[in-house]
Amino acid sequence: MLVEVNGVQMAYSDTATGSPAVLLVHGFPLNRSMWDPQMGRLRAAGLRVIAPDLRGFGASEAGPPGPLTMDQHADDLAALLDACRVTDPVIVVGLSMGGYVAFAFWRRHASRVRGLALLDTRASPDTPLAVADRHRIAAEVEASSSLQPVIDAMRPRLFSPHLPRGSRVEQQVLGMLASSSVRAVADGERGLALRPSSLPTLPSISVPTLVLCGEFDALTPPADSEVIASGIPGAELVSVDGAGHMSNMENPEAVNEALLNWLEAVQK
Ligand code: MLT
């Protein structure tokens, strides 16, 4: 489905029935199809599932040139909920960049949040070295009109070392990566580099929170999730056996079980 949100055409899926609504926010530079292993299970559990392609990614328009910021994504999500006529608070589930967006959503639209599930993400901002690297990748992607620089940078850290090379999950993720646009990757990297620290946000989070991390996540390692969980009052921390950064795809059974158990507790 497509809807105009803050001046851009945003692509999204919405099961339209069920409650509460769960907003699934994808990572960089991916799209909503990364949530395919969760969609059916969440829907079958009676939840309304809304999964957008963030602006610039998947089938959504990018809008005016310039960094794709977490704040802009968060405001787009709020406008998408309006367009879907969702007025009750929602469960926000974000993986990696989706987690950065979830923090921004909390800062800007806290009254719309009923719970947060933060997967394979971090609260800290980029180090100066990481910022420089993002600008290098953005420049190289633009200069070469190729996504190879971002694929080379991310691929070695995306999966568990135990995931067989050439596996279906690897092919799916690399396919998503390769189908991104140069614009989304370059302006996405610049937007990620601009994100503020979410460390001061952690103690302000007053809704039930699940923090989940692949045991072998090399991109946002388990230590980052420990920082998040210890900073948010009452947060629950779950390690996903055998998974790397793409935990929801690498071990979907474990992630679905953790999400559904937590969601059941949240709704009591
Ligand atoms: C992601 O997986 O969303 C990104 O790799 C996050 C990042 O680059 O910090």
Side-chain angles (χ1 to χ4, degrees):
M1 283 184 282
L2 275 178
V3 69
E4 183 165 328
V5 150
N6 295 332
V8 301
Q9 288 290 317
M10 178 169 261
Y12 69 106
S13 316
D14 177 9
T15 59
T17 55
S19 158
V22 179
L23 193 55
L24 301 176
V25 192
H26 64 78
F28 170 87
L30 307 176
N31 60 61
R32 69 188 194 274
S33 69
M34 65 161 272
W35 295 113
D36 286 352
Q38 278 67 51
M39 297 282 294
R41 285 299 305 281
L42 295 175
R43 183 186 188 165
L47 301 148
R48 177 172 180 177
V49 188
I50 302 176
D53 285 343
L54 296 173
R55 71 165 62 202
F57 300 95
S60 290
E61 279 180 356
L68 295 166
T69 66
M70 304 308 109
D71 284 356
Q72 179 68 66
H73 291 315
D75 291 353
D76 288 348
L77 294 180
L80 176 65
L81 292 178
D82 290 342
C84 294
R85 299 186 199 288
V86 175
T87 49
D88 287 339
V90 302
I91 307 283
V92 183
V93 179
L95 184 138
S96 199
M97 177 178 75
Y100 310 157
V101 174
F103 284 129
F105 192 81
W106 171 257
R107 285 191 287 272
R108 298 166 79 82
H109 306 282
S111 65
R112 305 194 78 153
V113 184
R114 176 163 177 180
L116 282 176
L118 303 165
L119 282 65
D120 300 274
T121 190
R122 59 161 79 88
S124 53
D126 285 347
T127 61
L129 213 69
V131 168
D133 212 42
R134 290 202 195 274
H135 287 291
R136 174 190 62 78
I137 292 170
E140 283 183 15
V141 163
E142 283 175 337
S144 63
S145 292
S146 144
L147 299 180
Q148 207 52 48
V150 76
I151 294 172
D152 290 346
M154 292 187 73
R155 186 183 183 147
R157 294 185 297 158
L158 274 175
F159 309 107
S160 154
H162 304 295
L163 189 76
R165 213 113 174 128
S167 69
R168 197 155 153 250
V169 167
E170 184 181 7
Q171 285 177 31
Q172 283 170 338
V173 175
L174 295 179
M176 269 188 273
L177 238 145
S179 70
S180 275
S181 68
V182 162
R183 165 79 206 287
V185 169
D187 281 345
E189 290 281 20
R190 295 185 181 109
L192 286 163
L194 282 174
R195 79 186 190 284
S197 174
S198 291
L199 293 169
T201 305
L202 302 179
S204 78
I205 296 177
S206 53
V207 291
T209 301
L210 174 68
V211 184
L212 216 140
C213 189
E215 179 184 5
F216 299 112
D217 187 339
L219 219 154
T220 48
D224 288 327
S225 284
E226 283 162 25
V227 169
I228 296 174
S230 61
I232 300 176
E236 188 181 324
L237 177 62
V238 172
S239 171
V240 184
D241 284 351
H245 187 62
M246 297 306 302
S247 64
N248 75 304
M249 298 179 73
E250 292 178 68
N251 190 347
E253 297 79 19
V255 169
N256 290 345
E257 195 189 322
L259 267 177
L260 288 168
N261 287 342
W262 172 77
L263 282 164
E264 209 177 285
V266 169
Q267 289 180 78
K268 273 188 185 143

